[in-house]
Amino acid sequence: MSGHYKSDPWSIIEEGFHPAMQEASESIFSLGNGRMGQRANFEEQYSGETLQGTYLAGIYYPDKTRVGWWKNGYPEYFAKVLNAPNWIGIHVEINGEPLDLHLLKPVEFRRELNMRKGTLERTFAVSVGSQQIEISSLRFLSMKRDEVGAIRYAVRSVDFSGSVAFTPYIDGNVVNRDSNYDEKFWEMEEAIAMEGKGFLKARTKKTGFVTCMAMGYDIQLNGAGLNPVTEVIQREDYVGNRISVEVSEGDELVLYKYVSVLTSMNHDPGVMVKQGLEILSNAMEAGYNTLLLEHVTIWENIWTRSDIVIEGDTGAQQGIRFNIYQLNQTYTGRDERLNIGPKGFTGEKYGGSTYWDTEAYMIPFYLSSSPREVSRNLLIYRHKHLEKAIENGRKLGFSGGAALYPMVTMNGEECHNEWEITFEEIHRNGAIAFAIYNYIRYTGDRDYLSTHGLEVLIAISRFWRQRVNWSRERQKYVMLGVTGPNEYENNVNNNWYTSKVASWTLKYTLEELVKIRDSDPVAHARIMERTRLISSEECVAWEHIVQNLHFPYDREQDIFLQQDGYMDKEQRMAADLDPAERPINQHWSWDRILRSCFIKQADVLQGIFLFEDEYDLETIRRHFDFYEPRTVHESSLSPCVHSILASRIGRPERAYELYLRTSRLDLDDYNHEVHEGLHITSMGGTWMSVVYGFGGMRVSEGMLAFDPKLPGEWNSLWFKIGYLDRILKITIEPGRMVVENQQGEGIELSLAGSTVHVPKGEAREVSC
Amino acid sequence: MSGHYKSDPWSIIEEGFHPAMQEASESIFSLGNGRMGQRANFEEQYSGETLQGTYLAGIYYPDKTRVGWWKNGYPEYFAKVLNAPNWIGIHVEINGEPLDLHLLKPVEFRRELNMRKGTLERTFAVSVGSQQIEISSLRFLSMKRDEVGAIRYAVRSVDFSGSVAFTPYIDGNVVNRDSNYDEKFWEMEEAIAMEGKGFLKARTKKTGFVTCMAMGYDIQLNGAGLNPVTEVIQREDYVGNRISVEVSEGDELVLYKYVSVLTSMNHDPGVMVKQGLEILSNAMEAGYNTLLLEHVTIWENIWTRSDIVIEGDTGAQQGIRFNIYQLNQTYTGRDERLNIGPKGFTGEKYGGSTYWDTEAYMIPFYLSSSPREVSRNLLIYRHKHLEKAIENGRKLGFSGGAALYPMVTMNGEECHNEWEITFEEIHRNGAIAFAIYNYIRYTGDRDYLSTHGLEVLIAISRFWRQRVNWSRERQKYVMLGVTGPNEYENNVNNNWYTSKVASWTLKYTLEELVKIRDSDPVAHARIMERTRLISSEECVAWEHIVQNLHFPYDREQDIFLQQDGYMDKEQRMAADLDPAERPINQHWSWDRILRSCFIKQADVLQGIFLFEDEYDLETIRRHFDFYEPRTVHESSLSPCVHSILASRIGRPERAYELYLRTSRLDLDDYNHEVHEGLHITSMGGTWMSVVYGFGGMRVSEGMLAFDPKLPGEWNSLWFKIGYLDRILKITIEPGRMVVENQQGEGIELSLAGSTVHVPKGEAREVSC
């Protein structure tokens, strides 16, 4: 692994300035604190290629849908993640000339994302004539005070004498690169600059979200405060202060910039300026060092709970930490109105904030490595959108409370518009049902079912019922016109995975209804009332579908077929593809991709992964051996699932190779697209490929199990798992594993095939 | 048939002014002369709802493709039919107030499209205070001088005294309603107004087409020339003359406006102004009445050759004449660079000029009712685009000279961008091959094959070969991922119709190659050379596909299945649909349409229609009875084919009902969309439903045959047919038919089942 960034267990480090890599590095070095985030844009002016990105959680704009050919049911708009006013800006002039690394080539350029501390540091030197200046900046978005950001920006003269001017500012003149009609999305409401301070209040068009960003600063020369002459700059969309200071050889001029960023998600716009200035003033009172300390302390706690330690393989270690770091700075789980966008706070592509990725790839991570509330909030998010999902179903012709959750959403409404995805990639409904099941089995929070879960399950079951039809020809139910997780097939009939999650949802809903009826008749009656469920008709129909749904199957190969007719395709292997034609989605026309047998990401294998308990090892191996060689892994969500299954069936090399591909996808930029932002949602998959794959973790028949497969490259692996109110620390070394029960009552576990009781506070070792 | 327009055998007449119908009537009353055309916009100002449309054949703009999600292979642009500078404009002021029918409600409003003469006349009266003025206009686009248009615009004072001002003008400030990015498409090059004359020269952006429009006029008061004071108006994009005249009670003031419209399709832009002024001056010298007479004479000749006379049913008569009229004013066949756009000169929707409609629906009409050159030019058009079709194939991954003709084109390049259509609705290639076959059998022009036709057939055959693949499972070739003519199914496998035309193309190409080899070895060698055909490899492969192509078939029903899996759908009948949900394409989401069994337009039946000779009557009937009840006829191309087949299998009522639907589609606005323009290309289908359907015409085993089925509503039907250099007049009455051989040698025909020789210049009668 010799990538662009230096290998280091705790940091991402770039040495040397590489303008061609600037947008990629802006993604890689992104910062966030769950409430807001930003790409690693420079504080000072940069006239080279850059993608400016400042993002505020939950703030979006309904950009007019762009489409050549309208189809009934398309959404009117597409929720765009918005580039918000820029609050990191510090314009720097040296002897009146702007500091701009596109013009003044830096030397000794270095940046470091310190993942342990959650800080971004940048150091470099520039020459002014024959004189040298060293510059460093350190910034963070406080995890403690999630509406506060701070920057230390230092200019040190090596042998320079002359003027240095700082203009810390907030700039509302921002655009999205991918706006459909080149519109600006923000309208300025107020911009007031005064000496030492300024704030800017802006409102999004249409959606009417308001943000108020306030800034203040301190300036020190060689550690001592200054009261320089200040020019106050105020324009309609800009506030700033220009401070010019004369420096001599050896001087260090430091600007501490503090910002508060508030939004109408949490504040009344009427008092937002006042509250913003208060929060700013509290932060400034605490001071930069205290803010930093608070922030680092929170990160320490996060790492204590969610770190994964891999010894003997720095690339793998850095990869997994990068994933865990990004997940934690994207979503903290404190706010059930938020979710995990595909690019998090690192880019604007795709838009919307919620895909099925959340349920299929993120919830497992948060379930095991965060307090229960985090996953619960992700479930509540969907429960809050239930009415809109039913409305969406109605729009597409379903009735009686049938819910189709959107493919992409911000507020519960669909905002994606390719018919083959929007209308047909309906397996997302299954992932949402499965997440409820997953949550219950990891947390034991069965109350959630009667208060929220079953309503969602029933609405989804109603959808599945209407989405199948009886084929007189087959004497079976069929599910026509679907797109599975493998989006390289569109509008197919009887996609095995979709039918499988549909059937499973019906079965699970029926089972839970019976359990609740037997255990808590009052809760059961309440659910029946709330959902107007007609048990004698609806449950009977569901059961009939469970018993009679058609699943495509190939007798000769003894495998479940991805869809009807899959074997009619020319059967080729991905390895036989001309490397010059890969990725095929950049080289082949869409029809050619569709006609081919090539698979974008796990499809049948996604089902085998979810319902692994139902299949013996030989069946899993047979399906892996059939499907994986036909898979081109052109989705970021692909390698992780395959890595887990490869571990399971005893293919450690393949598992390890696929693991590196998922964990270092962005760091090594496998798909040449990291400049657009990071693949945040596949990072949950990376975590799974370690814990489920190499750790061999499963919940099987109500018992947590580990069956480790440590890669040969690793000396050891350890991580912590939250499960039914325990916290277990799992350490895996060649030939042995140790489980320490760090919190909660004693528990029976299945360790490498043996059932072992691990008492409270104790550890147990088994060989493996 | 009680529609909005008055029933009349030769005219379309609207009485009373209906602002809500204005855009619809602008479509209905459109004029054209093959070289240019226009919607029936008013000459004078109209501030109500209107769709301005002036169109120039072959002139287009490559509007940037609009698409939400880009797929490899999508074209960069979409060729838009352009709204060109407005040359009909005559601004009218009465006592200084603009005449505007949106403001001054007219009385006794009437317009008439006289189809026999090819003129548009409009008369109405308005009140100015208590005084009455009568206005009439008559305009035409000369069929004789196809770059000339003329308008007679008369204002008669009933009891009005005051000033009347005319401002004849040409206005370049025009837009397309449906431009993707609200761009203007024309740049002005020159606009010069002088007394009595003016011209405007403009250039299209990107494509660089140039037009020069020049105008002149005469003005007469009560039949006598006038020399009034003239105000010359010249702006960057506008030229006009304002002439104000005092009129008194009983006066008639008449403006004759003459225009020449030249384009760079036929003129060097450098001398275009000079040539335009010359053509204008010649036209003015000839004068309005002479121009009109020349024009009407051409229309008389057209009607002599292509009229269809239906006695006893004015609605049906008007309907068929409207279709024939529109076809003839859209395409005259003089220029092989032109084609027949879906809206002709009546609207801007869809863009592009050429769809498979040309080959499937128009060529049969022109073959029988126009000189051979007309159809030949349509074939040459595709031959000229062969290289681009091969290039298009290459873009999609085909090689070795395989051609995929575009779904929609202006200049041979694809300009449509829905993957399920652009990449998959490939049966268009089959229609292009079939048109060659059709042309040969109607004209006997076998030379065309060796000089042009076989090159096209070979390139298409090469495409079909690569588009199928061998299914090991079935031990057959399959054709995966196609969209048939029924666009309510997307990305299906083994669409019967597409496979049928593919197989037929291969077979026909092989047959013609053998025939030419045997009859003209030199021509054969030339073709082999030009196409680099490797007979021993390619022809063998084609033959193998012909022998081993999979066709879906349902044993139980004994029918060819539209595609694999069609019988898995819920089988419902269109008649059982809730009328409130029709047309389903306006009420159902796309996935629901796709999942349903409902058929947009003939698909299997399109194949049965094309290859009817291969099927016995019982087979045709069985397929009609299976598919037609499942067909919602939501394409303008649907009713005609079904009407023909209904005639064939002895369902006269259904045939008649479907005929009215096709022939009066626009006049009665069945689909509520006539305001966007007329369905020009389905008009060829209407003609077929009379001649093939009720006339029962076929070419079968090399003999022209008629097996008439006169609808009970009609007293008689007659039409003329061109076939192998003869012109035959066919008259059908209840119980008898007469065939008159008006031109060419004697011929054997099959009349109502008997073989009859009809000598040169004679007539034969048979009972039927």
Side-chain angles (χ1 to χ4, degrees), chain B residues 102-132:
Chain B
H102 186 59
L103 308 171
L104 262 184
K105 299 296 169 203
V107 294
E108 290 170 35
F109 182 95
R110 180 181 192 277
R111 50 185 153 187
E112 175 174 355
L113 178 71
N114 186 318
M115 299 187 286
R116 191 199 290 258
K117 298 182 175 172
T119 57
L120 172 61
E121 187 171 12
R122 185 163 55 107
T123 55
F124 58 94
V126 291
S127 307
V128 181
S130 62
Q131 301 172 322
Q132 294 291 311

Side-chain angles (χ1 to χ4, degrees), chain A residues 71-72 418 490-491 568 585, chain B residues 71-72 418 490-491 585:
Chain A
K71 305 261 200 278
N72 285 326
E418 288 178 296
N490 290 163
N491 192 38
D568 269 347
N585 68 17
Chain B
K71 305 261 199 280
N72 285 326
E418 288 177 297
N490 289 165
N491 192 37
N585 69 15

Side-chain angles (χ1 to χ4, degrees), chain A residues 269-533:
Chain A
V271 294
M272 202 183 275
V273 170
K274 184 167 166 288
Q275 291 174 342
L277 290 171
E278 265 170 30
I279 290 169
L280 173 66
S281 141
N282 291 340
M284 290 179 72
E285 215 159 283
Y288 183 83
N289 290 333
T290 303
L291 294 176
L292 180 57
L293 189 67
E294 289 170 1
H295 172 71
V296 171
T297 305
I298 304 248
W299 270 109
E300 270 173 14
N301 293 338
I302 291 171
W303 286 115
T304 302
R305 181 70 183 75
S306 67
D307 194 16
I308 290 182
V309 178
I310 297 170
E311 287 182 355
D313 187 341
T314 312
Q317 174 69 75
Q318 186 184 38
I320 189 65
R321 284 222 176 98
F322 185 66
N323 285 267
I324 295 170
Y325 174 75
Q326 289 294 345
L327 289 169
N328 278 293
Q329 75 175 4
T330 302
Y331 185 73
T332 62
R334 292 179 204 155
D335 188 337
E336 88 287 348
R337 297 165 304 175
L338 303 181
N339 212 291
I340 303 131
K343 300 264 163 233
F345 296 118
T346 73
E348 60 184 48
K349 211 188 167 189
Y350 296 123
S353 82
T354 314
Y355 290 64
W356 73 294
D357 307 28
T358 292
E359 282 77 15
Y361 293 85
M362 315 302 296
I363 283 196
F365 166 76
Y366 291 111
L367 266 179
S368 290
S369 68
S370 303
R372 167 195 294 194
E373 287 62 40
V374 177
S375 326
R376 193 172 200 272
N377 274 340
L378 287 172
L379 264 54
I380 295 278
Y381 176 94
R382 294 289 195 182
H383 182 265
K384 287 176 100 163
H385 290 174
L386 180 57
E387 273 314 309
K388 288 202 169 140
I390 291 171
E391 177 54 36
N392 186 43
R394 214 165 10 233
K395 227 168 117 184
L396 302 189
F398 300 90
S399 56
L404 176 60
Y405 277 92
M407 189 66 199
V408 179
T409 193
M410 192 58 92
N411 66 350
E413 290 166 22
E414 178 64 80
C415 62
H416 189 90
N417 62 358
E418 288 178 296
W419 63 265
E420 62 275 20
I421 307 284
T422 308
F423 302 153
E424 296 201 339
E425 200 173 332
I426 52 178
H427 65 79
R428 58 199 188 238
N429 254 5
I432 289 165
F434 192 85
I436 295 171
Y437 163 73
N438 229 353
Y439 171 76
I440 307 292
R441 65 178 178 161
Y442 272 86
T443 65
D445 180 14
R446 292 194 53 81
D447 275 356
Y448 183 79
L449 272 176
S450 51
T451 56
H452 298 79
L454 268 163
E455 280 179 70
V456 172
L457 291 170
I458 288 167
I460 292 177
S461 293
R462 284 168 165 165
F463 172 81
W464 290 129
R465 177 190 177 185
Q466 294 173 46
R467 195 52 170 72
V468 298
N469 68 275
W470 181 253
S471 164
R472 211 170 59 90
E473 176 114 328
R474 292 189 198 264
Q475 292 291 303
K476 286 275 186 187
Y477 290 97
V478 290
M479 197 182 311
L480 306 180
V482 296
T483 296
N486 169 20
E487 291 167 334
Y488 288 178
E489 301 279 356
N490 290 163
N491 192 38
V492 301
N493 296 331
N494 302 302
N495 169 261
W496 184 85
Y497 173 77
T498 307
S499 295
K500 180 73 195 167
V501 288
S503 167
W504 175 87
T505 307
L506 296 171
K507 197 156 146 275
Y508 178 61
T509 306
L510 288 166
E511 280 169 14
E512 291 294 4
L513 276 170
V514 168
K515 276 194 207 161
I516 286 198
R517 189 194 59 200
D518 294 350
S519 65
D520 188 348
V522 175
H524 183 259
R526 240 184 248 129
I527 291 162
M528 299 291 286
E529 166 69 22
R530 237 177 10 235
T531 60
R532 294 166 208 266
L533 185 75

